[in-house]
Amino acid sequence: MGARTKVFTADFMKQFDKEHQAAFGKNAADMGYPDTGCGRYSKKLAYQDWYAMNNGQRAQMNSLEQLTLVVLLPLVAGIVYPLPAMVLQCSYIVGRFLFGFAYTSKGPNARLYGIAFMYLSVLAMLVMTCLSLYAMI
């Protein structure tokens, strides 16, 4: 939430209070909600702030896109290979933090170090999951 708190400050959001009051009877929400980086509030951001906000949103959405996979793979792989599955999941989490930090602080090109950790971990978990499923039949 770092980018959101930096760009949608209380002072920035005050410019929308009059319009929001007319429509809903109350001031605009703190931190620009429900704007996700491309909405009405974001149109008033400086380009650099808009860029930072959208990098943060992209890092978050990438996490959500992979959530099902990285929850299910270690659960199934862990049936037969509990310790390696846990180690790989921890490796994925380290990669996820590197990815998110790099993406939000230095932009999209910096995310590659985290991607390497994440995708190698996911690939290994996928192989272990297949081996676990094979061992169970």
Side-chain angles (χ1 to χ4, degrees):
M1 209 162 29
R4 179 175 291 280
T5 57
K6 288 177 188 170
V7 300
F8 290 131
T9 63
D11 287 338
F12 177 81
M13 293 306 297
K14 284 180 184 175
Q15 66 183 302
F16 302 102
D17 284 345
K18 185 177 178 184
E19 182 180 1
H20 206 80
Q21 276 280 349
F24 302 106
K26 57 184 178 179
N27 289 340
D30 292 342
M31 293 188 285
Y33 288 109
D35 197 318
T36 59
C38 290
R40 183 175 221 108
Y41 302 145
S42 295
K43 289 179 182 177
K44 302 263 183 164
L45 290 173
Y47 182 78
Q48 186 176 3
D49 292 338
W50 174 86
Y51 188 78
M53 178 64 187
N54 277 276
N55 280 340
Q57 281 297 121
R58 187 62 216 133
Q60 176 190 7
M61 290 308 295
N62 183 271
S63 298
L64 294 175
E65 291 163 358
Q66 296 182 10
L67 187 61
T68 303
L69 186 67
V70 299
V71 168
L72 291 178
L73 287 180
L75 286 175
V76 176
I79 294 170
V80 177
Y81 306 104
L83 186 60
M86 182 191 70
V87 168
L88 286 170
Q89 186 68 352
C90 289
S91 172
Y92 176 85
I93 291 168
V94 168
R96 172 57 53 201
F97 280 116
L98 285 172
F99 175 89
F101 177 76
Y103 207 139
T104 57
S105 64
K106 294 183 171 53
N109 292 335
R111 71 189 195 277
L112 298 176
Y113 299 110
I115 286 175
F117 266 96
M118 292 181 338
Y119 287 160
L120 289 174
S121 300
V122 168
L123 180 62
M125 283 190 282
L126 184 60
V127 169
M128 282 192 334
T129 298
C130 292
L131 292 172
S132 290
L133 291 171
Y134 181 75
M136 289 189 275
I137 48 176

